Amino acid sequence: MIVLKKQFKAESKKLLDLMINSIYTNQEIFLRELISNASDAIDKLYYLSLTNKDVKVNKEDLKIHLSVDKANRTLTISDNGIGMNKEELEENLGTIAKSGSSLFKEEMTKKDNIDIIGQFGVGFYSSFMVASKVSVLSRKFDSDKAYLWESTGVDGYQIKEATKDTIGTIITLTLKEGSEYDSFLEEYKLRSIVKKYSDYISYPITMMVTHEHKKEDSEEYEKHTEEETLNSMVPLWKKDKKDIKDSDYQQFYHDKFFDYEDSIKVIHSSVEGKCTYTTLLYIPSHASYDFYSKEYEKGLQLYANGVLIMDKCKELLPDYFSFVKGLVDTSDLSLNISREMLQQDKNLGLIASNIEKKIKKELETMLKEERDNYEKFFKAFGMQLKFGIYNSYGMKKEELADLLMFTSSKDKKMITLKEYVSNMKENQDKIYYACGETVDKIDMLPQVEQLKDKGYVVLYLTDYIDEFVMQVMNNYDGKNFVNASSGEVDLDTKEEKEELKVDWSKVKVDTPILVKDTEEGEWRKRHFSGFKNGKVYAWCDGATSWTADGKYDVNSWKYAKLAESEETVWQRSELQKN
């Protein structure tokens, strides 16, 4: 029988070379592609059995099998799916980017419960990244003829009649020479690739696996080989939420994202509509060691019908939510010629927008209902939320402002801006804040003391980015932010407005001053004793002079002014005797 070699339709050697060397950046995804194609073929046969009563298929018998022949350097992927005839082999494999699965999916768009993963044609050609020769032996359902398609790459392909006892397809890759390809003949490597990319293919992916066991009543070991299923098949996120325990979620989180602590929040949701997808998101309880470094990569794992497409899809998360771990699984994602290079798809943008809203809503709920957990979260990732406002020049303040927390001067506890405003004094129109290295240092500032004495609450800002955030936000709920140390502090009374005009640190001891405890009280003549921690101390005639430890008859006063001046200084809200 004469077999003629054919050239790829309308495609050049240059294009195939570009696909092999440029489109895919890591070689191991070839196996993901071939397994996905095998899963598609099984899907087609199973769907046919549901629509044609003459087609008898036992779903439990459907599977994908991997086998290795190290001596001949071959890796084989076989399935018992629907198979292909000669015309389909030429149509699907003879044209780059021609997809039988794509055509099948178009025909079945009005049908329910049919799931076709692969884009047969492009993914198939990723085989040539690792193989010097690819052979495809296939026999279609309801046919007694089988055909063999063979190619060594850019020089074309040939198809000839062959023999195969059962329906389905066997793809045999003859691996290239070189140590970089040897691992694809190793059991551990194949197992890890299947686990990483194809763990949730809905059919068993099997392989003969060798184990060592101790001989009975002996210290010697013997090897035992058996067929083993490599994939778990049912993704956790596709199970009904009522059937999933919290421990299941956390164990998945530990295994998948390598965190030794439980997450602080699990977000599991499914959306149907213009775009159908499922998300399983985790908010960690602590920042990873590299989170605030340039080496950190944000992103969610992206699956298409249970097949991993991208390990970190950064387009799914805004920078200010980059701490979120998790995954998205969708059937509505448009791909270009490679699963690894996503188009800027409108569905991807829609999913990302919905994820952002979902995360914000869950954080708001945590703040309202799980305050302790939220404060723990904010201590770990609050800086990132602040960066979100600062980096957007305040454009994202509407989305993020209500999630911010700062220490309050009232009780040294964390409060939100909304809580600050709801507890403001009557007629207060400003939000006061002060910056410093620590809460204790800020609390000792004279300007802060003056505001506290008046009854104002001051927000203590200790992160280096805090004041920049206040500046770009400018205001909250119509109330301007004012730094307590700036000249913008405008207190109500004349005395308070004159507050900073007297430099008490330069007033000499024994200088006559006037003091009183209340605004309505009478001025009393005293002698200036000292200025300590922002407080004016004075003593009357005949009293023992003031000492550094504040003992004896020296008092601190709420109001004080120089005897020869009309200037008055607000000092304290309470009279202290030392």
Side-chain angles (χ1 to χ4, degrees), residues 519-535:
E519 187 174 359
E520 298 80 14
E522 293 184 6
W523 290 105
R524 302 178 186 180
K525 186 177 180 181
R526 294 290 187 269
H527 298 278
F528 178 70
S529 179
F531 183 72
K532 181 180 179 183
N533 294 335
K535 304 167 189 175

Side-chain angles (χ1 to χ4, degrees), residues 5 56 65 97 130 185 194 222 227 242 318 390 411-412 439 448 466 479 512 537 567:
K5 180 165 286 191
K56 307 297 183 183
H65 186 73
V130 299
L185 296 170
V194 170
E222 61 180 356
E227 188 175 55
K242 69 176 185 295
Y390 176 70
D411 51 16
K412 308 300 188 297
V439 167
V448 171
D466 285 345
K479 309 292 191 298
Y537 290 84
E567 297 173 353

Side-chain angles (χ1 to χ4, degrees), residues 85 123 202:
N85 58 28
S202 56

Side-chain angles (χ1 to χ4, degrees), residues 3 53 136 174 271 278 338 347 422 448 455 514 538 541 553 570:
V3 179
K53 62 181 182 181
V136 182
T174 302
V271 176
T278 298
S338 163
N347 286 330
S422 65
V448 171
L514 300 177
D541 290 337
D553 298 327
W570 176 276

Side-chain angles (χ1 to χ4, degrees), residues 503-554:
D503 187 351
W504 289 98
S505 64
K506 295 182 179 179
V507 177
K508 294 182 179 180
V509 174
D510 290 341
T511 297
I513 63 173
L514 300 177
V515 297
K516 62 180 179 179
D517 292 331
T518 65
E519 187 174 359
E520 298 80 14
E522 293 184 6
W523 290 105
R524 302 178 186 180
K525 186 177 180 181
R526 294 290 187 269
H527 298 278
F528 178 70
S529 179
F531 183 72
K532 181 180 179 183
N533 294 335
K535 304 167 189 175
V536 170
Y537 290 84
W539 52 280
C540 59
D541 290 337
T544 307
S545 61
W546 176 81
T547 59
D549 57 9
K551 293 180 179 179
Y552 309 115
D553 298 327
V554 179

